[in-house]
Amino acid sequence: MPRSMPETDRLPHALYRAEQVRNLDRTAIEAFAIPGIELMNRAGAVAYQILRARWPTASRLTVLVGIGNNGGDGYVVARLAHVEGLSVRVLQLGDAERLHGDAALSCTAYRNAGGRIETYQGLPRDTDLYVDALFGTGLERPVEGQWAEAIAALADQRAPVLALDMPSGLHSDTGCVLGVAVKASATVSFVGLKQGLFIGAGPECRGELYFSALEIPAPVYAREILSLRRIDWAQQTTTLKPRSRIAHKGDFGHLLIIGGAPGMSGAARLAGEAALRAGAGLVTIATHPQHAHWLNQDRPELMVAGVECADDLTPLIKQADVVAIGPGLGQGDWGRQLWEYTRTLSLPLVVDADALNLLAASPMTGPDWVLTPHPGEAARLLGVSTSEIEQDRLTASARIQKRYGGTVVLKGAGTLVHGPSHRPPAVCSDGNPGMASAGAGDVLTGVIAALRGQGMDAEQAACAGVCLHAAAGDRAARMGERGLIASDIIAALRPVANSIEVS
């Protein structure tokens, strides 16, 4: 009979490093007298309840267990399934004699219930579900040997995989793949959410995410300062305050967007319309004269000015509250002189695209700007390879912020916001792969700049803008991720920003 999904905790906004979660475990055991085996039994029970609710027809389970506490959690799941009458195969990787402490107790309890343990010699194909209980949070080096073989073999199976705490092979802190990693259908995480589930390859490997604090008392968490904040639109929507009934357009900022070299006018156009849809009062696009006369033909609310040279920006700057530069700017003489003029302004800046490449070529620190690099631009800003950025996105964003100042938005799956305040950096958990299309970054530039013009500081605008942009992307993806374009995100900005459900 199908079971309803058990009550799990809502996904917290506090994220932790693996060492911090181990400290939380230790505090619960030592300071609050919760036995470790009790926490292990709670973890296994929650995981098993999720397993039965999510895959109610699964009757043949294969549980891969390692030699640490993650393996102990797996033994609890196997015992509960065996007692309930499911067909269970437990495949032990590593020497079972090395099991100790609570994991050894869990293994013994499984044996005493009549369960059998096999040494791993390959994956059976006659299974409905695999349970990954190999590594958990302790992995620090590349996976090798039979461990790598087992994880690679899981990728070739058609049956789904439930990962306990962390998909094996995924680094708990950086989200990078240590040689090879499990791509789970779902992951159930315990005690504290690990930051690696949200950065790097985490969103790709974790599948649907569940969380349980295992009934650990709230005072335990006061002992650890979160290492990363998870942000989403449900949380950030409160940053948009109701508008005054006597407001006028000047109250919501005059935004100047600089960009659109010949052949690249679309980027500035997308940023401009996105800014309007995110609530900017006035938007002017300073662009190349070659296309200035027609850029706003289908969006007359945009003002457009053709600029031949940097001097032409002077009257436009005098009217602006916020400047966004970079979309379609190019790195030729035209774009370069506009950047050199703009980089010295005292106005709030949002810097994107080719303006970031020009900044990388001639670095400087800006106290009040928002930099919005994708991984390739981030690599140029730091003088490293793109792969180095992706190996540790959190460290990369911190390094960019330290070198260039202001607030850094490192775009990608799990967009990061690293500001100058003492608050931990933030990672956005909204968004989807359909947003990986041309122009989506230009839309984000317009959204962040618009929020700055409505009174937010740089870090607030970056956090709210990233989440609004991602939530709009999720709404646009209701019709499918494939084929989603930047204009679809713009169309969704207004209903999302106003919390309007549109069928």
Side-chain angles (χ1 to χ4, degrees):
M1 184 174 181
R3 304 185 186 187
S4 60
M5 187 63 69
E7 289 224 3
T8 53
D9 298 305
R10 296 183 67 179
L11 288 185
H13 287 95
L15 306 181
Y16 299 95
R17 299 187 306 276
E19 180 184 7
Q20 292 180 294
V21 177
R22 288 192 286 271
N23 290 341
L24 294 172
D25 261 329
R26 190 178 305 113
T27 299
I29 293 168
E30 296 176 358
F32 289 81
I34 304 174
I37 188 62
E38 173 62 21
L39 292 176
M40 187 170 287
N41 283 330
R42 292 178 188 177
V46 168
Y48 182 64
Q49 291 167 15
I50 290 171
L51 182 158
R52 294 294 284 148
R54 185 180 169 99
W55 295 283
T57 62
S59 61
R60 300 170 298 175
L61 307 185
T62 298
V63 185
L64 285 78
V65 295
I67 54 177
N69 280 348
N70 195 243
D73 295 341
Y75 273 115
V76 176
V77 172
R79 172 172 55 82
L80 295 172
H82 175 75
V83 168
E84 195 167 300
L86 276 65
S87 172
V88 181
R89 295 185 69 176
V90 171
L91 306 184
Q92 175 71 59
L93 283 84
D95 185 0
E97 297 301 317
R98 293 176 60 189
L99 286 166
H100 64 280
D102 298 326
L105 292 175
S106 183
C107 176
T108 299
Y110 171 69
R111 289 184 188 274
N112 289 343
R116 294 177 57 250
I117 301 172
E118 305 172 46
T119 300
Y120 173 79
Q121 295 180 332
L123 293 180
R125 293 191 177 273
D126 57 341
T127 193
D128 300 318
L129 177 71
Y130 295 97
V131 177
D132 164 28
L134 292 175
F135 288 121
T137 62
L139 191 65
E140 291 291 338
R141 61 179 185 274
V143 183
E144 299 175 339
Q146 67 170 353
W147 308 87
E149 176 191 325
I151 291 173
L154 278 175
D156 293 331
Q157 307 305 309
R158 298 185 64 181
V161 179
L162 174 65
L164 304 187
D165 215 20
M166 288 289 295
S168 292
L170 185 71
H171 196 281
S172 298
D173 293 350
T174 66
C176 73
V177 173
L178 296 171
V180 61
V182 169
K183 288 189 177 180
S185 306
T187 298
V188 53
S189 189
F190 311 115
V191 181
L193 278 180
K194 293 77 188 169
Q195 63 185 35
L197 291 166
F198 294 89
I199 55 179
E204 173 77 0
C205 293
R206 75 186 186 216
E208 187 169 355
L209 184 60
Y210 302 90
F211 173 74
S212 175
L214 305 183
E215 302 175 47
I216 288 177
V220 171
Y221 294 89
R223 308 268 184 113
E224 292 291 331
I225 299 173
L226 62 157
S227 60
L228 186 64
R229 293 177 288 141
R230 183 180 71 85
I231 56 175
D232 55 21
W233 183 240
Q235 173 205 55
Q236 292 291 313
T237 186
T238 58
T239 61
L240 295 185
K241 305 301 181 186
R243 292 188 161 187
S244 166
R245 295 298 91 189
I246 57 172
H248 59 82
K249 61 189 176 185
D251 292 333
F252 307 119
H254 189 159
L255 169 60
L256 176 64
I257 296 173
I258 303 172
M264 296 188 288
S265 59
R269 167 68 173 71
L270 289 168
E273 184 171 355
L276 288 174
R277 291 302 188 187
L282 295 153
V283 177
T284 297
I285 299 177
T287 192
H288 196 277
Q290 187 177 104
H291 48 250
H293 65 285
W294 55 258
L295 192 63
N296 64 344
Q297 280 187 358
D298 62 342
R299 182 56 63 215
E301 298 87 350
L302 289 169
M303 294 177 285
V304 181
V307 292
E308 289 277 5
C309 61
D311 289 343
D312 294 340
L313 289 175
T314 301
L316 303 176
I317 294 293
K318 288 179 180 179
Q319 301 173 27
D321 299 304
V322 180
V323 175
I325 183 168
L329 184 69
Q331 298 181 60
D333 291 340
W334 182 81
R336 188 179 301 276
Q337 64 170 313
L338 299 187
W339 164 244
E340 291 298 331
Y341 179 97
T342 304
R343 65 189 287 173
T344 61
L345 296 175
S346 58
L347 287 172
L349 297 181
V350 179
V351 183
D352 185 30
D354 280 323
L356 291 169
N357 295 324
L358 293 168
L359 174 62
S362 183
M364 63 174 283
T365 300
D368 196 32
W369 56 20
V370 179
L371 309 181
T372 62
H374 59 53
E377 291 157 351
R380 288 186 280 277
L381 287 168
L382 293 177
V384 300
S385 67
T386 302
S387 62
E388 287 178 79
I389 298 293
E390 295 288 46
Q391 282 295 305
D392 193 345
R393 286 169 53 84
L394 192 57
T395 296
S397 66
R399 289 181 60 200
I400 295 171
Q401 198 285 323
K402 184 176 181 180
R403 180 176 297 186
Y404 294 93
T407 297
V408 175
V409 174
L410 180 54
K411 295 183 290 197
T415 292
L416 290 163
V417 179
H418 212 123
S421 72
H422 295 298
R423 298 191 71 189
V427 60
C428 178
S429 56
D430 292 332
N432 64 84
M435 300 174 71
S437 64
D442 305 311
V443 172
L444 177 60
T445 294
V447 171
I448 293 174
L451 295 179
R452 283 239 61 189
Q454 292 171 74
M456 294 187 186
D457 66 31
E459 192 170 346
Q460 289 172 333
C463 288
V466 162
C467 292
L468 172 56
H469 177 258
D474 286 341
R475 180 186 287 263
R478 291 178 184 177
M479 295 181 65
E481 294 174 358
R482 197 181 310 275
L484 191 156
I485 61 174
S487 295
D488 299 328
I489 302 173
I490 293 174
L493 284 171
R494 186 182 178 199
V496 170
N498 290 283
S499 302
I500 297 171
E501 282 296 326
V502 180
S503 59

